[in-house]
């Protein structure tokens, strides 16, 4: 028992020593295979915090290097664009300078070649400035998914169709070139057009203040849709067309003898002309220039352009184009950039003693007619009276009028009064193509911007009459002529509209009346054919005594009743009897007639935003490198190219008629490139924004140098951090292997010693 206890204690002690040696060998073997002192920070607790801090710093540097690599790619892409753009501008300026130096202004072929070169340069500018890197546009500000340059024309002819150089010109200032805004009658209130003065006016003050002079405004939803160049703007009224002011009176032999008529180089002849008639001239709106002396204007031809200067009334100074010359050369008719979309009124029934003209006046309606002298409907889109204008002089421009009971039914309808010149109404029909046909739609809703709630049940839209009809009787009560309404939830008619007519008259009971007459805008259904009309209030019907006598009336038509005892007014047809002898009409306040909402907008070639793009390239070191396609270095060149490209040769807006654009464009190109613009004279369109391609290239080179220097420093520092972390966490391979071999030898010896000890006993000793 004694030798057994002593042997056991010794055995346990020796075994513990062997296991400790084995653990040391395992640790050294792990360091050898992993290269690390420990697989966790627990194994290097004394330096763990230091190693962790260095590792985090290393990770931060890696993030900067990744960002800086992206920035470097963007800068390289921008460098390529700058170089290409600079070459493009320089090449086009050389083409322009050659044209100017060689005095090629008289050659139509050379003019067209230069304009094609200008448009090609524009297309190339679009290509370069729409460059993408890693799927993102470089020159769109922070809106990197939107192409920054949009030209909206793929050919020179398309560009010139949009900018004819006379009626519609490309913006000649930076503000005009970059204007990109819109407004509508929801903001402006009613919009009034004056064709004689060439003006567009808003009811609400200041609503046009954000539309720069020189910009091209697009008008939609009106009788005069199209593009117009803004010649003047006081915030409330846009002047978009040159206009004469009446000056001189041939009946009293008074003329303007100070006016000078100067022609540019014209399509019809080579030399310009300076005309200042000794006898003088007189100006007659909307566009006649005349002299009491025959032959004064014989040298002018249709298509020639001229400038009036020195007129007694300065408002008559300006540029004009000849549309015709009188046979004796004493007068000119002038083509104007005004509003020319007049309706086709039928004059065959004039003077019309039965027609009535009604228009809203506050909460009531004024009705005008002249059973003695009649009203004239003129084919030029005007309506006049035969009493010197006194009957119609009070109709306000901008109002909606309703013509009823005209001798020629096609003259009936609703019109927008665009001007009232002493009782001569210039009008435009307002109910054409405002809506798309759509059957009763229970999802469609209508509102008028007030707290009024409309529950129409379902809305039906009729394109021929531009009428919106509700399924629920009387549900549109509260809508008034001139209000703006909004339709939503429809299939094809969502949007804003102006109410041009309401139907508030209910059907009243009335026995067969042979004097009652129904018209539907094209046909008159009178008692001689109908046999008399019976009106039934309970069913909202109008029935003719003679079967089939109402044939031709369609659902959706606006019909007008006259000659009845209690039912004169306008109604909307909602149903037709199969026998064509009875029609059902919408109950009062169940339908409205509308015209499209008006809106004005300007658009720029630049489609991105103005947000600055920058990146942190180092701790507290931001680099702003985001240059947009609207930068003055690019904008001035784009504007110069557009000014040369606009206007077809041989027209009033052509380059041959506007040679001043040559030197103006040359100035802008020089300024864009960074040349000495002081040698080019005074800026043609006022002070220009600073900025040129040369400065951009210099700034870019400095940014690239800065980024390269910072990246090199970060790379060196990252190498230092990697080495430092390795010193703290990596094992020394040579030292570790030597120690491992020593431990293996020690372990082998320990195993042998332990084996020998375990064989020792008192019995073996006595043997």
């Amino acid at each position: 028992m004694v030798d057994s206890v002593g042997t056991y204690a010794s055995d346990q002690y020796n075994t513990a020593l062997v296991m400790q040696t084995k653990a040391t060998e395992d640790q050294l073997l792990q360091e050898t295979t992993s290269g690390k002192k420990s697989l966790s920070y627990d194994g290097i607790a004394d330096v763990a915090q230091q190693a962790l801090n260095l590792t985090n710093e290393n990770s931060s540097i890696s993030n900067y290097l990744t960002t800086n690599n992206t920035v470097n790619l963007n800068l390289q892409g921008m460098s390529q664009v700058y170089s290409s753009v600079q070459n493009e501008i320089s090449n086009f300026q050389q083409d322009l300078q050659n044209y100017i130096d060689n005095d090629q202004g008289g050659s139509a072929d050379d003019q067209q070649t230069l304009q094609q070169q200008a448009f090609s340069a524009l297309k190339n500018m679009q290509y370069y400035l729409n460059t993408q890197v890693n799927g993102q546009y470089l020159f769109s500000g922070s809106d990197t998914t939107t192409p920054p340059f949009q030209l909206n024309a793929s050919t020179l002819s398309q560009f010139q169709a949009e900018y004819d150089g006379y009626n519609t010109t490309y913006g000649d200032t930076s503000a005009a070139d970059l204007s990109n805004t819109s407004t509508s009658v929801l903001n402006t209130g009613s919009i009034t057009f004056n064709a004689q003065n060439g003006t567009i006016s808003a009811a609400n003050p200041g609503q046009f203040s954000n539309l720069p002079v020189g910009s091209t405004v697009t008008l939609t939803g009106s009788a005069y849709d199209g593009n117009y160049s803004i010649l003047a703007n006081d915030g409330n009224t846009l002047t978009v067309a040159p206009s004469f002011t009446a000056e001189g009176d041939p009946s009293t032999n008074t003329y303007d003898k100070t006016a000078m008529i100067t022609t540019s180089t014209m399509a019809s002849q080579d030399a310009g002309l300076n005309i200042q008639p000794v006898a003088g001239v007189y100006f007659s709106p909307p566009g006649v220039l005349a002299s009491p002396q025959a032959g004064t204007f014989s040298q002018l031809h249709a298509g020639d352009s001229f400038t009036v200067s020195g007129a007694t009334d300065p408002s008559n100074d300006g540029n004009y184009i000849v549309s015709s010359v009188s046979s004796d050369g004493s007068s000119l008719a002038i083509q104007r950039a005004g509003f020319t979309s007049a309706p086709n009124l039928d004059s065959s029934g004039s003077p019309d003693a039965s027609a009535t003209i009604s228009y809203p006046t506050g909460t009531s309606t004024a009705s005008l007619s002249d059973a003695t002298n009649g009203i004239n409907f003129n084919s030029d889109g005007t309506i006049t009276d035969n009493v010197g204008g006194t009957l119609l002089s009070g109709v306000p421009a901008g109002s909606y009028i309703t013509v009823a009971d005209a001798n020629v039914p096609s003259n009936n309808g609703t019109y927008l009064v665009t001007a009232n010149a002493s009782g001569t109404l210039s009008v435009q029909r307002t109910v054409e193509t405002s809506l798309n046909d759509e059957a009763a739609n229970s999802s469609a809703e209508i509102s008028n911007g007030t707290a009024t709630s409309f529950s129409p049940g379902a809305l039906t839209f009729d394109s021929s009459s531009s009428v919106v009809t509700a399924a629920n009787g009387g549900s549109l009560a509260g809508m008034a002529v001139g209000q703006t309404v909004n339709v939503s939830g429809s299939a094809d008619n969502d949007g804003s509209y102006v109410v041009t007519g309401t139907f508030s008259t209910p059907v009243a009971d009335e026995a067969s009346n042979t004097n009652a007459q129904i018209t539907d805008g094209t046909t008159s259904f009178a008692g001689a054919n109908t046999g008399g009309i019976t009106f039934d209030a309970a069913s909202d019907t109008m029935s003719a005594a003679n079967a089939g006598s109402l044939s031709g009336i369609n659902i959706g038509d606006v019909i007008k009743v006259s000659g009845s005892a209690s039912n004169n007014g306008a109604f909307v047809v909602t149903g037709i009897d199969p026998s064509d002898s009875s029609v059902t009409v919408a109950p009062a306040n169940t339908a409205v007639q509308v015209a499209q909402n008006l809106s004005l907008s300007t658009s720029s070639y630049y489609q991105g935003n103005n947000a600055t793009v920058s990146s942190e390239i180092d701790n507290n070191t931001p680099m702003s490198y985001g240059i947009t396609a609207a930068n003055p270095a690019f904008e001035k060149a784009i504007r110069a190219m557009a000014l040369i490209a606009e206007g077809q040769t041989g027209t009033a807006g052509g380059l041959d008629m506007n040679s001043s654009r040559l030197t103006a464009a040359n100035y802008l190109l020089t300024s864009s490139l960074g040349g000495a613009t002081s040698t080019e004279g005074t800026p043609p369109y006022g002070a220009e924004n600073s900025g040129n391609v040369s400065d951009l290239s210099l700034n870019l080179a400095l940014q690239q140098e800065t980024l390269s220097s910072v990246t090199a420093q970060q790379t060196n520092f990252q190498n230092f951090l990697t080495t430092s972390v390795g010193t703290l966490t990596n094992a020394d391979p040579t030292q570790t292997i030597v120690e491992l071999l020593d431990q293996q030898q020690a372990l082998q010896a320990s195993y042998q010693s332990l084996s020998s000890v375990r064989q020792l006993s008192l019995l073996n000793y006595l043997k």
Side-chain angles (χ1 to χ4, degrees):
M1 289 299 295
V2 174
D3 83 2
S4 174
V5 172
T7 299
Y8 176 77
S10 176
D11 181 74
Q12 290 299 307
Y13 176 73
N14 289 333
T15 298
L17 292 176
V18 171
M19 294 305 294
Q20 182 178 354
T21 302
K22 173 61 175 170
T24 301
E25 181 196 38
D26 290 343
Q27 175 64 30
L28 291 170
L29 182 61
Q30 178 179 288
E31 291 181 20
T32 301
T33 56
S34 68
K36 299 292 183 182
K37 293 179 180 179
S38 174
L39 296 182
S40 68
Y41 283 112
D42 292 340
I44 52 170
D46 55 336
V47 295
Q49 187 60 50
Q50 184 180 2
L52 185 60
N53 291 340
L54 293 175
T55 298
N56 290 339
E57 185 71 18
N58 197 354
S59 178
S60 177
I61 295 297
S62 294
N63 291 335
Y64 280 125
L65 288 173
T66 299
T67 298
N68 293 352
N69 181 60
T70 300
V71 174
N72 185 50
L73 288 176
N74 289 340
L75 294 181
Q76 289 178 3
M78 294 169 69
S79 179
Q80 293 294 321
V81 170
Y82 288 175
S83 177
S84 299
V85 164
Q86 192 167 32
N87 289 336
E88 190 66 42
I89 299 172
S90 297
N91 290 340
F92 176 65
Q93 187 180 39
Q94 187 61 56
D95 293 333
L96 176 60
Q97 191 63 56
N98 289 341
Y99 180 91
I100 295 173
D101 292 343
N102 294 334
D103 193 23
Q104 296 170 310
S107 169
D109 289 341
D110 288 337
Q111 292 161 8
Q112 291 169 1
T113 297
L114 179 64
Q115 288 188 304
Q116 186 59 61
Q117 290 169 332
F119 185 74
S120 296
L122 273 175
K123 295 289 288 184
N124 288 337
M125 291 288 286
Q126 177 178 246
Y127 173 78
Y128 296 135
L129 293 176
N130 283 348
T131 295
Q132 291 177 284
V133 172
N134 289 331
Q136 296 185 324
Y137 291 99
L138 288 179
F139 298 98
S140 287
S142 63
D143 187 9
T144 57
T145 61
T146 300
F149 196 139
Q150 184 173 321
L151 195 54
N152 291 331
S154 57
T155 65
L156 176 61
S157 60
Q158 289 177 350
F159 184 81
Q160 291 176 338
E162 182 172 358
Y163 301 104
D164 64 11
Y166 181 75
N167 295 331
T168 307
T169 59
Y170 194 87
D172 54 19
T173 66
S174 174
D177 192 12
L178 296 175
S179 177
N180 197 354
T181 185
S182 64
T183 187
S184 73
V185 294
L186 296 175
N187 309 113
T188 63
S190 61
I191 295 177
T192 303
F193 302 89
N194 188 312
Q196 179 174 322
N197 296 327
T199 58
I200 305 172
S201 301
N204 297 335
Q207 289 298 314
F208 291 156
S209 58
N210 61 338
L211 302 176
V213 171
S215 62
T216 296
V217 63
T218 300
L219 178 63
T220 60
S222 77
Y224 303 111
D225 285 0
N227 296 326
Y228 301 92
S229 291
I230 301 176
L231 305 180
N233 181 6
D234 64 5
N236 302 326
T237 297
L238 305 178
T239 300
V240 297
S243 176
F244 279 146
T245 298
E247 185 180 339
D249 185 353
S251 65
T252 59
N253 293 317
T254 56
Y255 304 98
D256 185 335
K257 296 184 178 182
T258 64
M260 171 72 77
I261 294 92
T262 303
T263 67
S264 59
T265 302
M266 299 172 292
S268 58
Q269 55 191 54
D270 292 334
L273 297 171
N274 292 314
I275 303 171
Q276 188 173 21
V278 175
V281 294
Y282 67 91
F283 301 85
S284 177
V288 174
L289 179 64
S291 167
Q293 184 177 351
T296 298
F297 305 116
S298 294
Q299 297 180 74
L300 296 176
H301 303 76
D304 291 344
S305 65
F306 65 90
T307 300
V308 174
S309 60
T312 302
D313 188 333
S315 66
N316 284 331
D317 289 342
N319 298 314
Y320 301 92
I321 185 172
V322 178
S323 57
S324 65
V325 184
S326 65
S327 59
D328 65 353
S330 66
S331 65
L332 304 174
I334 309 303
Q335 178 181 328
R336 310 183 59 74
F339 311 101
T340 58
S341 178
N344 294 320
L345 296 177
D346 191 327
S347 60
S348 62
S350 300
D352 191 329
S354 64
T356 61
I357 295 176
S358 58
Y359 62 96
T361 56
T363 58
S364 61
T365 300
S367 182
L368 307 175
S369 62
D370 190 336
T372 303
N373 302 292
I375 295 172
N376 298 320
F377 296 92
N378 307 308
S379 58
D380 64 355
T382 61
I383 302 175
T384 56
D385 59 38
N386 290 294
V387 287
T390 57
L391 178 67
L392 301 179
S393 60
V395 179
S399 66
Y400 292 94
I401 63 172
T402 299
V403 176
D405 304 326
N407 286 335
V408 180
S410 63
N411 286 334
N412 291 327
T414 303
Y415 300 85
L416 170 67
V417 178
T418 59
N420 185 343
S422 302
T424 296
L425 306 183
S426 298
V427 300
Q428 176 61 45
R429 193 180 294 274
T430 61
V431 296
E432 298 173 356
T433 65
S434 291
L435 298 175
N436 297 306
D437 287 323
E438 187 173 341
N441 185 340
S442 59
S443 299
E445 298 179 357
I446 192 166
S447 62
N448 65 351
T450 70
T452 305
S453 178
F454 301 99
S455 302
L459 293 176
T460 300
F461 303 85
D462 183 75
S463 62
S464 62
S465 59
S466 202
V467 165
V468 182
T469 305
N472 295 340
S475 60
L476 300 186
M479 290 192 176
V481 171
Q483 275 190 331
T484 296
V485 297
N486 181 266
V487 173
S488 60
S490 71
D492 299 299
N493 291 288
D494 286 0
S496 297
Y497 301 87
V498 175
V499 177
T500 60
T502 59
F503 307 95
S504 57
T505 305
V507 176
D509 287 325
E510 188 174 343
S512 179
N513 186 338
T514 57
N515 293 321
Q517 176 177 285
I518 296 175
T519 59
D520 68 351
T522 58
T523 306
S524 177
F525 304 89
N529 296 318
T530 63
I533 304 293
T534 297
F535 301 86
D536 183 71
S539 60
D540 289 309
T541 59
M542 302 177 187
S543 303
N546 297 333
S549 60
L550 298 184
S551 175
I553 297 178
N554 300 305
I555 292 177
D557 283 354
V558 174
I559 61 173
K560 294 181 175 65
V561 176
S562 60
S564 77
S566 307
N567 289 285
N568 290 339
F571 301 85
V572 177
V573 177
T574 58
I576 304 170
D577 182 82
S579 67
D580 286 327
S581 61
S582 177
V583 296
T584 303
V585 297
N589 299 315
T590 305
V592 291
Q593 198 167 43
V594 297
Q596 286 182 326
N597 192 10
L598 302 181
S599 66
L600 289 161
S601 63
T602 58
S603 62
S604 167
Y605 74 87
Y606 181 61
Q607 300 298 304
N609 61 33
N610 295 319
T612 301
V613 177
S614 64
S615 294
E616 292 277 347
I617 62 172
D618 203 352
N619 285 331
N620 302 316
T621 307
M623 174 176 285
S624 178
Y625 63 92
I627 302 300
T628 73
N631 186 277
F634 306 134
E635 187 276 326
K636 285 181 283 192
I638 291 168
R639 185 162 23 117
M641 296 166 184
L643 290 172
I644 296 299
E646 71 178 358
Q648 292 184 12
T649 299
T651 68
L655 198 58
D656 51 332
M657 300 285 193
N658 302 272
S659 58
S660 62
R661 296 207 299 254
L662 296 170
T663 53
N666 200 20
Y667 181 98
L668 293 174
L669 293 169
T670 300
S671 179
S672 172
L673 288 170
T677 55
S678 60
T679 64
E680 302 298 320
T682 304
Y685 305 116
E688 295 288 347
N689 294 324
S690 61
N692 56 71
V693 180
S694 179
D695 286 347
L696 290 183
S697 298
L698 178 60
N699 291 337
L700 183 65
L702 292 174
Q703 289 175 328
Q704 288 178 309
E705 183 178 347
T706 299
L707 182 64
S708 177
S709 175
V710 168
T711 301
Q713 293 174 4
Q714 289 171 336
T715 301
N716 292 335
F717 187 42
Q718 187 177 51
N719 291 337
F720 165 75
L721 292 174
T722 300
T723 300
S724 298
V725 172
T727 300
L728 297 174
T729 61
N730 295 341
D732 185 328
T734 302
Q735 181 180 350
T736 302
I737 291 175
V738 170
E739 292 180 358
L740 176 61
L741 292 174
D742 289 345
Q743 288 298 319
Q744 286 177 337
Q745 292 176 354
L747 182 61
Q748 184 66 32
S750 297
Y751 282 148
Q752 291 176 349
S753 298
L754 181 61
S755 175
S756 299
V757 169
R758 285 184 172 179
Q759 294 178 8
L760 291 178
S761 68
L762 180 59
L763 180 60
N764 290 338
Y765 177 76
L766 293 175
K767 290 180 179 181

